[in-house]
Amino acid sequence: MTLDDELLRDEAKYCSFGDTVHYLDPPKVFARCEGSFLYDTEDRPYLDLQMWYSACNFGYANPRLNGALKRQVDTLPQLASQYVHREKVELAKRIAQRVEKTWSAKGRVHFNVGGSQAVEDALKLVRNASSGKSLMFAFEGGYHGRTLGASAITSSYRYRRRYGHFGDRAQFVPFPYCFRCPYGKKREDCGLYCVDQFARLFDTEYCGVWDPKAGAAEYAAFFVEAVQGTGGYVIPPQGYFEKLKQVLEARKILLVDDEIQMGFYRAGKFWAIENFNVQPDVIVFGKALTNGLNPIAGIWAREELISPSAFPPGSTHSTFSSNPLGTAVALEALQLMSERDYETLTREKGAYLLDQLRDLQRRYAIIGDVDGIGMALRIEICAADGYTPDKAAVDRLVDEAMKGDLEHGGKRYGLVLDVGGYYKNVITLAPSLDISYGEMDLAMNLLDQVLRRVTTPRTLQMPRAAITAKQRTRNALV
Ligand SMILES: Cc1ncc(COP(=O)(O)O)c(C=O)c1O
């Protein structure tokens, strides 16, 4: 029995499986990580194109961020949140100032540990601000976490089925998923029909959400992901959020922007919603703020919603909420983000990857759609008609990618791919923002090999000369 086998045997015996999902059978054991790579117990490299669901935007074991953590361990590693430490205050200040610079909006920052807990805090905040209204809108395909409150506004009933309701479940509104438009429209000439359908709810009292006499909606807030994460990196069309925000403003419904997965440049801007020209009332963040080290999540909210008189001390609390280790790393991560032009960098690298994904799409019939914004990219795997979701093919792709026997330059590799989407047929790509051009080429080569294992290319003679020349130019720049 190998050490891996022993570990998996003990896991099966002693670990709850309620807190995870193993997509592979048997699950893969990893021993170390660096940059864009995970290494298994035989030290074989796996190029990671998902980076812990976008929690490690700045590469595994980033020396600078790890250094900040180590320094904090040696100075003030622990402190109860009733006291004050520099890192917490500076972190809050930097985030608040960043928001103020972007939207000229004054506000404050409030910390918690994980994303779901921060979503819970946002729920309390908007309920409080709307005098206790407990109903929320959220999107079909949206994901906001798995605590009781967060799963009530997450679209999958699967996450609620066994546990009953502790609060009100959101009213789920179709997301503008243009490749599979829920209204059967075409992006080019739909006139954002989907927003009109949402706006229609407020036309008369008989649609069930609006009292025209009181001028009041029954709903406190709309929780959105500007780009859907778990839903399959679905990118809305330009103009959508602007039109939606007009409806919400007219009905005094708050816009809560969940940036937990797409924030911190994943979608090419500091906040993903900056791509869509609207100002949120509340922002929820987590994951990449600490690059996956000591967790910190939190919310920013407009001053009138979160000032101490509106949202009094003790409204939420967790022992570890503004822990010094997490806040120190987060502060360093923000410093790092301010020193590099991540907006340009993610736009260029994202475009480079998308170009190659489009080339793969031309060559493999099972790729129904590819799209991307910043460095959040998607490959939608479909049947021969280019549309019917093919989850089974995705499962085969992921299995092949994780075998660790792909070859390049005389070396063996694995490829870490994650699956998302309404039909679990989307490969969601979230590579390290610091991935090199050489690593991106390696990734596309490995992806090509994996695709070739599960399907036949449209033609094996398709010319590759153009993309290869382009790759060579970019490689020279690295
Ligand atoms: C958009 C979004 N919101 C909330 C969460 C929940 O965060 P956490 O897993 O840290 O509780 C996630 C996690 O994937 C997410 O992607």
Side-chain angles (χ1 to χ4, degrees), residues 53 113-117 119 143-147 150 225 227 229-230 258-262 286-287 297:
Y53 320 124
V113 186
S116 304
Q117 290 88 341
V119 167
Y143 183 89
H144 300 288
R146 299 219 201 155
T147 51
E225 294 164 86
V227 174
T230 308
D258 181 340
E259 294 277 348
I260 291 167
Q261 186 158 165
M262 289 295 155
K287 288 196 199 277

Side-chain angles (χ1 to χ4, degrees), residues 269-459:
K269 303 267 187 193
F270 189 87
W271 305 119
I273 204 153
E274 288 175 47
N275 287 295
F276 305 107
N277 305 318
V278 289
Q279 181 190 326
D281 298 295
V282 180
I283 300 173
V284 193
F285 53 84
K287 288 196 199 277
L289 180 58
T290 59
N291 205 40
L293 294 175
N294 239 64
I296 283 284
I299 57 181
W300 171 93
R302 285 197 287 107
E303 178 67 10
E304 57 269 42
L305 306 175
I306 202 172
S307 70
S309 55
F311 200 52
S315 290
T316 86
H317 173 71
S318 162
T319 300
F320 298 119
S321 62
S322 52
N323 64 82
L325 295 177
T327 47
V329 178
L331 203 51
E332 190 67 25
L334 286 188
Q335 181 59 29
L336 185 147
M337 287 181 236
S338 71
E339 288 171 16
R340 289 193 82 180
D341 182 0
Y342 275 103
E343 225 176 279
T344 306
L345 180 151
T346 50
R347 187 174 57 246
E348 290 180 356
K349 287 185 184 176
Y352 184 70
L353 284 170
L354 191 54
D355 216 18
Q356 299 193 56
L357 294 182
R358 291 206 172 107
D359 180 58
L360 288 175
Q361 186 184 18
R362 279 189 287 275
R363 292 167 46 229
Y364 291 99
I366 64 168
I367 301 181
D369 183 48
V370 295
D371 204 356
I373 184 167
M375 288 176 77
L377 299 117
R378 72 193 312 270
I379 309 172
E380 182 144 357
I381 302 295
C382 301
D385 61 2
Y387 189 72
T388 307
D390 192 346
K391 177 185 179 301
V394 173
D395 292 344
R396 289 202 301 280
L397 283 166
V398 173
D399 285 351
E400 289 298 331
M402 286 301 274
K403 279 185 178 162
D405 61 352
L406 303 166
E407 287 194 10
H408 186 77
K411 236 176 126 175
R412 296 191 139 202
Y413 292 92
L415 185 65
V416 180
L417 300 174
D418 198 41
V419 177
Y422 296 23
Y423 303 93
K424 294 285 167 251
N425 70 319
V426 180
I427 298 173
T428 51
L429 303 181
S432 163
L433 306 185
D434 293 328
I435 191 172
S436 70
Y437 280 91
E439 287 166 345
M440 286 194 281
D441 289 344
L442 173 63
M444 291 303 124
N445 179 294
L446 300 179
L447 196 53
D448 196 348
Q449 290 183 42
V450 171
L451 282 159
R452 205 172 276 241
R453 283 189 187 183
V454 305
T455 185
T456 317
R458 287 186 210 267
T459 162

Side-chain angles (χ1 to χ4, degrees), residues 166-217:
F166 195 67
D168 297 300
R169 157 198 186 287
Q171 173 153 339
F172 296 106
V173 174
F175 191 78
Y177 183 178
C178 299
F179 181 65
R180 299 186 183 282
C181 176
Y183 298 104
K185 303 276 181 195
K186 289 270 162 282
R187 186 192 295 240
E188 302 72 53
D189 58 5
C190 68
L192 297 170
Y193 177 82
C194 48
V195 189
D196 296 338
Q197 288 308 296
F198 178 68
R200 199 189 65 83
L201 291 178
F202 302 92
D203 277 355
T204 91
E205 69 182 88
Y206 298 104
C207 296
V209 303
W210 176 246
D211 179 348
K213 289 195 176 146

Side-chain angles (χ1 to χ4, degrees), residues 39-74:
Y39 294 83
D40 69 11
T41 44
E42 290 164 7
D43 218 33
R44 177 159 303 165
Y46 288 68
L47 181 50
D48 194 332
L49 291 182
Q50 235 288 327
M51 301 305 291
W52 200 357
Y53 320 124
S54 196
C56 303
N57 283 1
F58 309 101
Y60 287 123
N62 182 304
R64 184 161 159 188
L65 301 177
N66 285 9
L69 185 66
K70 288 174 191 162
R71 277 196 303 283
Q72 194 67 25
V73 167
D74 290 334

